[in-house]
Amino acid sequence: MSPSYTAVAARKTLHRPDAPPAPEPAKTQKVSWTPGVRGYVQRAFDADSATIGVGPVEMQRRLKAVITQAAEAGQLQTIDWTTYPLPQNLIKAEREALALSSAQNARIANLNASTSYLSSGANIPERSVKRKNEDLETTDAEEDAITPPWKKHNTNKGSMEDRMTGKSKKQDKKQKKNEAFRATGLGTNAAVLEKRKQRFGYVSPEPSPHPSSRNDSPERTGSLVGTCQTVEKSYFRLNAPPAPETVRPLPVLEKALNHIRSKWKNEHNYNYACDQLKSMRQDLTVQHIQNELTVKVYESHARIALEMKDLGEYNQCQTQLRALYKLSIPGRSEEFTAYRILYTVYTCNRTDMNDLLADLTLGDKQKPAVQHALRVRSALASGNYHKFFRLYLDAPFMGAYLLDMVVERERIAAMASICKAYKPDVTLRFIAQELAFFGDVDVPDPDAGLRQCLEFLCQHGGEPFVERKEDGEIRFHTGKAIAVFEAQRAAAFRSVDIKGQI
Amino acid sequence: MEALWDDFATAQNTCNGYLLATTISPEAPATDPARLYNYNRGTNAYSLQTDLRYKLQYNPSLHLEKKEAAAWHEIFTAFYTFTGKLLAAEESQTANRPREADWSTVYESWKEVLSAVYRGYSGNAFEAWTIPCLYVVGKYLRIFAIKADEQAAASQRDSGLAFGELQEEDAFGAASKNEKLEDAARQINRIFALCLGDRSPLEDSRKWALYYTANLLFKTYFRLNSIPLSKNILRSLRASASDTPELSTFPRAHQVTFKYYSGVIAFLEEDYASAEELLTFAYESCERRATRNLELILMYLIPTKMLTAHRLPTRQLLQTSPTLDRLFSPLCTAIKRADLRAFNAALEAGEDEFVKRRIYLTLERGRDILLRNLFRKVFIAGEVEDAKADGGGAGAAARRTRIPVREIAAALRMAGATEIDDGEGGVDTDEVECLVANAIYKNHMKGYIARDRGFVVLSKTGAFPGTGV
């Protein structure tokens, strides 16, 4: 008969029965370290592989994490430790991945901080010109402040992230700020972009158990590439991520530029051309394209703006071009450096002029157009109106358009000098010659210059001093006209108006 | 470590601000060169708090209030971390491993010290006599920022392609180059605002640190090449001028530095009158032995005076400093001798340096003076007319006042004025007339041009104002 209880063996000793084996962490197991692992650890600690920005403490933590994970996954033997990336490099790569993906969001936040110091076109916070530059920055930044579509699906990088305790908040912010500075407005160099793509295009040698940021990298480095094929496209300010179907890729943009150029030549429709060019600039910025085409687009826009005296737009293009030339992208830098000098002469901005002169290289100063612009500057600085007007008639490229804006006030200034110095009177012909009213040699009417000169004098209150002599010659009584022209001169130089972009 | 605490106690008991400041200075005093090292090694992170508490609160030779003691506690804790970082960086530096010297962490940890000091002041824990501490934190913040930026720039250059590392982009302009310095500027600005906003009575006020902090800010902004920010400082100082004590009551060193920077700012704004006043004051009050400072002041004072008073520096003055001599002597000699060729050559030779200091454009105006001297020479070289019966009365022989434009042209030619050539070997007389017209317009000469007759008629008396002719 079996008892109605279950027999349990009585304890005979104090020894506890074996507890079910607890899941020991891999650390406490006696793991055999292969020479490969040992070599890896050695390399990580080696002074030569020390990376700036990753301290030894972080590196050690990461090393422990890497090895722990490998051991847990039972891959200590299978991983090729000789080519496995060192912990410090893993940390750096992940930091940068993190920074780049959040850089676009951080850009707006950091923009205000950066634009006060970013020297694009000699930025100085309080100048009125800054408004234009800020507008430019804002426009581009708005276009870029978008979160690219792929970023929304950027899954959590997994446990590696969590274990990345080494990265302090400060370094994170510093990285973000660096990225933001670097990436503001102009994105990355196309050539570097290509290299990056190549680097991450191939399968990385590490095995898959490490959910690594590198898997995300093709998406990260591959900026938006458009698919739109239409050559003409109007400009709309972006306030959302642009869909690739609305963005034109590089080859289409090249066609578009030629198309716009020929249309401009034939029709001279400024509003249309401006609109089209702005949208092209937008497409280029959104796709981070910075190459010769970008330079050509900005140059074309600048020239067109100059012709139509749109100084606001011109200044925007000029600023961008300066930054692009600094990246060593080939373009007509001689021409545009000369324009920049003339522009600064026009705005009478002494600080800018100082900065500009400091920036000029020896090579720049050899170029004829730049030399011409510098001579204009020095002539005006010393008040040598005679030389200035000769130079005005002789301006290379489209410099004459810029000088046109200066000519009016310089003529008044010259008149003030002439009135004070010459007594009792001078011939109208002399004034017309000095003040470059005889510009066009092939004008059929030889007296056109004289008439224009007369008009100019009368416009500025000089009529009472004109005298028609019996022999047909017209004389101007300089002695009596001093006060009038002196007042005009003061008024002309009092305020220089920079037309800003609305 | 004891020497540090002894100094601290002495300073506290005798209200010696400067001595107090040396206790938290990154540079160990000459009497105790191993101070920082001892401080760092004399305690460790575990026992730091208790050590400090013992030294600050339970120290029989010190009598600190609780709030004050707490504030110093914080400061010295931060100072401990800082010394660790600094020593590590210095060691790497001296061990010929400069790349490893991590100045940016040194900067960050010093910033912590600054924040602790700032909190002490904003919490009103410290009395006014301790403000030299503010001087110390501000001054070294700037120095460390510059070091950190230099290192960042150097590391960007050297950074190779470790596995997976992104290639650094070229720094865009000065923005990332001066990151730490910009940050330092913001920090010092906080201190400035703190000093400015102090409402305590004058004897106990932090306002005495105002000008020193302002000077620090000027130095920083100048280095960052952002003059408008400096103007902000000037504006704030002017706005609170009714509350702050007169500049003349501040230490002379503060005054001289302040006037120097204000002078340079005025100069850059083309306000030459104020610039002259400020720079002259700075020059005259400056300590005679501070030759480098004198040189800097003169660098801007000379072009200013050239413009306002048409005065050139004397040879003795220029010879006080080799740099000044090199830069300015050829120019001055050329102007005095009315030698255009030499003037152009001298200007070009020093162009880079002038442009860098932003005095090139001003020195160009020296050409006007040169031309005036030239015209004057022509005038003096002219024949002396016999005294007219109705003219000088007592028979004062006067020089002819009618000078043919031709002669002036010839003189210009001789002096090397290439601009008057008309390209065909002759002289463009219109150009010559223009130059004369300018001189007349600018009141360097008194007279007029009679174009039809080809003469320049000068005034009988005082044709060249300011030169006694």
Side-chain angles (χ1 to χ4, degrees):
Chain A
M1 187 172 61
S2 54
S4 55
Y5 59 82
T6 319
V8 176
R11 275 215 298 178
K12 297 204 173 61
T13 65
L14 287 170
H15 191 46
R16 279 272 177 110
D18 283 320
E24 289 167 16
K27 268 191 295 200
T28 56
Q29 274 176 6
K30 209 53 191 123
V31 183
S32 58
W33 302 115
T34 62
V37 179
R38 273 196 267 252
Y40 178 72
V41 173
Q42 241 174 354
R43 270 185 303 131
F45 277 101
D46 194 357
D48 291 333
S49 357
T51 332
I52 296 174
V54 181
V57 178
E58 279 175 51
M59 191 274 292
Q60 285 180 45
R61 257 188 243 146
R62 191 51 185 285
L63 180 66
K64 207 160 43 164
V66 164
I67 301 204
T68 313
Q69 217 176 20
E72 274 179 8
Q75 291 191 324
L76 277 178
Q77 265 76 348
T78 52
I79 297 177
D80 183 4
W81 293 106
T82 47
T83 53
Y84 196 79
L86 297 177
Q88 47 265 57
N89 300 323
L90 281 176
I91 295 180
K92 262 208 134 149
E94 281 167 7
R95 265 191 221 154
E96 262 138 26
L98 198 66
L100 192 59
S101 63
S102 42
Q104 294 188 330
N105 282 336
R107 246 182 248 165
I108 274 280
N110 285 331
L111 202 57
N112 289 334
S114 66
T115 42
S116 31
Y117 291 109
L118 193 62
S119 67
S120 51
N123 260 354
I124 299 181
E126 293 174 352
R127 249 180 34 197
S128 53
V129 183
K130 184 67 171 57
R131 210 164 10 103
K132 275 200 306 312
N133 289 342
E134 251 180 338
D135 282 344
L136 174 68
E137 301 290 349
T138 328
T139 311
D140 286 342
E142 276 179 35
E143 293 154 18
D144 296 336
I146 48 178
T147 353
W150 62 89
K151 209 226 163 201
K152 297 208 181 93
H153 305 302
N154 200 7
T155 53
N156 190 11
K157 298 202 187 88
S159 51
M160 195 55 96
E161 250 284 42
D162 301 329
R163 266 186 279 183
M164 214 174 67
T165 51
K167 183 166 171 206
S168 69
K169 257 202 291 211
K170 255 186 257 167
Q171 282 163 325
D172 192 358
K173 264 204 281 197
K174 175 180 165 200
Q175 271 293 338
K176 272 198 218 162
K177 205 158 179 226
N178 270 338
E179 280 294 337
F181 279 138
R182 279 187 252 125
T184 303
L186 292 174
T188 55
N189 194 336
V192 178
L193 216 58
E194 282 309 305
K195 268 169 76 182
R196 253 193 244 156
K197 274 199 196 141
Q198 283 171 5
R199 269 212 295 278
F200 296 113
Y202 71 144
V203 178
S204 47
E206 105 237 23
S208 49
H210 298 277
S212 140
S213 58
R214 231 159 281 115
N215 288 336
D216 293 332
S217 49
E219 294 160 298
R220 165 184 30 133
T221 57
S223 343
L224 178 63
V225 179
T227 57
C228 173
Q229 297 295 323
T230 52
V231 172
E232 293 196 12
K233 188 183 134 198
S234 268
Y235 172 68
F236 294 112
R237 230 177 205 187
L238 280 183
N239 44 21
E245 309 84 57
T246 56
V247 176
R248 294 168 283 181
L250 193 57
V252 178
L253 286 172
E254 284 175 3
K255 274 191 266 172
L257 182 62
N258 293 329
H259 178 73
I260 304 296
R261 274 214 190 124
S262 53
K263 261 202 148 172
W264 168 256
K265 260 189 257 191
N266 299 332
E267 296 172 23
H268 248 76
N269 180 348
Y270 182 61
N271 283 328
Y272 167 78
C274 201
D275 182 51
Q276 290 291 316
L277 283 165
K278 280 180 93 143
S279 110
M280 282 182 68
R281 278 158 62 183
Q282 187 186 61
D283 283 348
L284 288 167
T285 319
V286 154
Q287 297 178 87
H288 298 298
I289 298 177
Q290 281 182 302
N291 56 11
E292 298 190 24
L293 177 68
T294 322
V295 166
K296 279 202 207 117
V297 168
Y298 277 107
E299 285 179 354
S300 305
H301 200 170
R303 287 203 197 95
I304 293 179
L306 213 50
E307 214 180 305
M308 303 304 286
K309 305 232 189 294
D310 183 356
L311 277 190
E313 200 63 54
Y314 167 74
N315 194 31
Q316 275 191 22
C317 297
Q318 174 180 269
T319 321
Q320 289 298 314
L321 278 172
R322 175 158 174 252
L324 287 170
Y325 290 142
K326 271 210 165 129
L327 290 176
S328 310
I329 303 177
R332 316 287 232 97
S333 59
E334 173 193 350
E335 182 184 346
F336 281 86
T337 313
Y339 292 163
R340 252 177 65 228
I341 299 176
L342 295 176
Y343 181 79
T344 319
V345 163
Y346 165 66
T347 60
C348 288
N349 190 326
R350 200 169 169 89
T351 346
D352 268 0
M353 187 54 91
N354 268 321
D355 289 337
L356 203 142
L357 288 176
D359 255 353
L360 285 178
T361 68
L362 208 59
D364 283 338
K365 287 190 255 197
Q366 313 277 13
K367 308 270 171 57
V370 176
Q371 281 176 340
H372 173 271
L374 287 173
R375 265 183 265 132
V376 167
R377 184 206 68 78
S378 99
L380 284 180
S382 50
N384 191 338
Y385 53 81
H386 180 89
K387 190 135 76 107
F388 168 71
F389 284 107
R390 303 300 131 229
L391 291 168
Y392 166 62
L393 290 175
D394 205 16
F397 298 117
M398 287 174 66
Y401 285 99
L402 276 163
L403 288 177
D404 272 342
M405 292 178 262
V406 192
V407 149
E408 181 76 8
R409 74 169 188 232
E410 290 305 326
R411 278 187 176 142
I412 298 178
M415 277 312 295
S417 290
I418 292 177
C419 288
K420 183 138 192 224
Y422 287 89
K423 290 192 179 96
D425 56 26
V426 289
T427 60
L428 187 65
R429 182 162 289 275
F430 168 67
I431 298 180
Q433 256 170 351
E434 283 296 290
L435 302 190
F437 278 104
F438 291 117
D440 300 323
V441 211
D442 45 356
V443 164
D445 183 1
D447 286 339
L450 283 177
R451 262 203 306 276
Q452 281 168 1
C453 182
L454 197 55
E455 240 179 78
F456 164 74
L457 288 173
C458 297
Q459 256 173 4
H460 294 277
E463 186 159 5
F465 313 105
V466 180
E467 189 194 328
R468 246 195 182 64
K469 289 270 175 49
E470 308 81 36
D471 53 2
E473 235 197 80
I474 310 172
R475 315 214 93 201
F476 186 80
H477 287 270
T478 50
K480 302 191 194 129
I482 298 181
V484 171
F485 278 98
E486 187 56 42
Q488 291 274 327
R489 182 196 182 135
F493 278 89
R494 203 187 333 253
S495 64
V496 185
D497 176 21
I498 317 290
K499 299 181 196 98
Q501 187 85 28
I502 309 159
Chain B
M1 169 108 112
E2 286 317 307
L4 189 151
W5 294 114
D6 286 342
D7 277 347
F8 186 78
T10 324
Q12 285 284 354
N13 293 332
T14 55
C15 293
N16 186 340
Y18 286 96
L19 185 59
L20 190 62
T22 60
T23 58
I24 54 168
S25 159
E27 279 185 36
T31 54
D32 187 11
R35 171 172 292 192
L36 293 181
Y37 189 79
N38 287 333
Y39 179 76
N40 193 262
R41 295 278 181 269
T43 179
N44 55 43
Y46 183 68
S47 58
L48 179 67
Q49 301 299 319
T50 39
D51 280 347
L52 287 179
R53 217 176 303 135
Y54 179 73
K55 288 279 184 246
L56 289 167
Q57 287 179 305
Y58 307 134
N59 194 338
S61 52
L62 274 182
H63 304 286
L64 292 175
E65 281 180 15
K66 198 137 185 266
K67 205 163 57 158
E68 209 179 331
W72 280 112
H73 192 120
E74 251 190 72
I75 295 178
F76 277 108
T77 315
F79 192 62
Y80 170 77
T81 330
F82 162 75
T83 46
K85 298 277 189 294
L86 179 66
L87 290 169
E90 279 179 354
E91 265 167 50
S92 318
Q93 195 90 35
T94 49
N96 270 333
R97 279 177 292 150
R99 273 205 330 176
E100 281 183 17
D102 198 353
W103 291 104
S104 43
T105 43
V106 170
Y107 172 78
E108 293 294 327
S109 45
W110 184 249
K111 202 164 88 167
E112 284 305 313
V113 177
L114 184 145
S115 303
V117 173
Y118 180 84
R119 279 194 291 275
Y121 278 102
S122 53
N124 286 322
F126 295 136
E127 292 172 18
W129 59 265
T130 58
I131 45 174
C133 298
L134 280 176
Y135 300 169
V136 161
V137 283
K139 173 172 153 193
Y140 284 105
L141 187 71
R142 210 180 134 258
I143 295 178
F144 290 137
I146 294 175
K147 270 207 159 116
D149 280 335
E150 273 172 13
Q151 190 205 24
S155 75
Q156 267 188 2
R157 283 199 295 272
D158 310 326
S159 69
L161 274 179
F163 185 100
E165 184 188 327
L166 287 176
Q167 181 114 45
E168 298 275 16
E169 309 295 342
D170 284 332
F172 258 94
S176 39
K177 227 171 38 171
N178 288 319
E179 192 192 324
K180 289 280 183 278
L181 197 57
E182 289 164 13
D183 189 46
R186 282 191 285 274
Q187 299 300 322
I188 305 179
N189 224 330
R190 275 169 71 207
I191 301 184
F192 182 73
L194 179 70
C195 297
L196 202 55
D198 191 24
R199 293 268 163 264
S200 350
L202 264 189
E203 313 80 54
D204 208 27
S205 168
R206 291 192 280 272
K207 291 220 161 100
W208 296 107
L210 208 54
Y211 281 100
Y212 187 88
T213 326
N215 291 337
L216 275 181
L217 278 171
F218 284 141
K219 285 191 214 193
T220 321
Y221 288 142
F222 269 61
R223 204 182 169 99
L224 288 172
N225 199 19
S226 57
I227 310 301
L229 292 174
S230 318
K231 300 223 310 250
N232 283 349
I233 311 285
L234 285 174
R235 219 177 300 138
S236 342
L237 282 171
R238 254 192 302 253
S240 68
S242 49
D243 293 334
T244 49
E246 277 284 317
L247 179 58
S248 45
T249 53
F250 282 79
R252 196 166 74 150
H254 297 193
Q255 285 185 49
V256 169
T257 322
F258 181 75
K259 291 258 168 166
Y260 166 70
Y261 281 112
S262 315
V264 175
I265 294 173
F267 177 89
L268 294 171
E269 296 279 300
E270 295 198 66
D271 182 4
Y272 294 110
S274 329
E276 187 183 353
E277 195 189 310
L278 292 162
L279 289 171
T280 320
F281 178 94
Y283 180 68
E284 281 163 9
S285 322
C286 184
E287 169 83 42
R288 287 299 125 191
R289 277 170 296 162
T291 45
R292 169 113 180 100
N293 290 351
L294 285 171
E295 189 182 288
L296 287 173
I297 300 177
L298 279 175
M299 191 81 70
Y300 286 98
L301 189 54
I302 291 178
T304 315
K305 270 231 142 89
M306 207 190 293
L307 210 53
T308 52
H310 302 310
R311 304 278 301 278
L312 294 173
T314 59
R315 275 200 79 77
Q316 293 99 310
L317 185 63
L318 286 179
Q319 278 168 348
T320 55
S321 146
T323 331
L324 288 179
D325 198 22
R326 182 172 48 93
L327 289 176
F328 290 114
S329 295
L331 270 176
C332 294
T333 336
I335 293 178
K336 284 196 194 125
R337 277 203 254 122
D339 187 347
L340 250 184
R341 212 177 284 116
F343 179 82
N344 287 336
L347 205 58
E348 212 178 292
E351 187 176 329
D352 288 336
E353 292 200 46
F354 293 143
V355 167
K356 200 167 64 148
R357 292 181 174 81
R358 310 289 197 249
I359 51 179
Y360 181 81
L361 296 178
T362 320
L363 288 172
E364 261 194 332
R365 308 259 210 120
R367 191 180 278 125
D368 295 341
I369 308 181
L370 195 152
L371 287 174
R372 182 206 64 187
N373 287 350
L374 188 74
F375 298 146
R376 193 162 140 257
K377 278 196 169 176
V378 176
F379 175 63
I380 293 175
E383 303 147 14
V384 176
E385 286 173 350
D386 296 322
K388 294 221 171 55
D390 56 351
R399 292 204 165 83
R400 56 141 195 212
T401 52
R402 282 188 160 73
I403 307 180
V405 174
R406 249 188 1 261
E407 283 186 24
I408 298 182
L412 280 167
R413 251 342 224 332
M414 271 172 32
T418 48
E419 53 246 39
I420 58 170
D421 291 339
D422 61 0
E424 292 155 22
V427 168
D428 184 358
T429 47
D430 287 338
E431 174 91 28
V432 176
E433 283 181 21
C434 175
L435 292 173
V436 174
N438 270 325
I440 296 178
Y441 181 74
K442 292 181 189 156
N443 283 324
H444 291 324
M445 257 168 49
K446 275 181 126 170
Y448 66 89
I449 307 173
R451 185 179 160 81
D452 299 336
R453 279 164 247 238
F455 275 107
V456 176
V457 182
L458 296 172
S459 139
K460 284 204 179 53
T461 51
F464 292 92
T467 62
V469 177

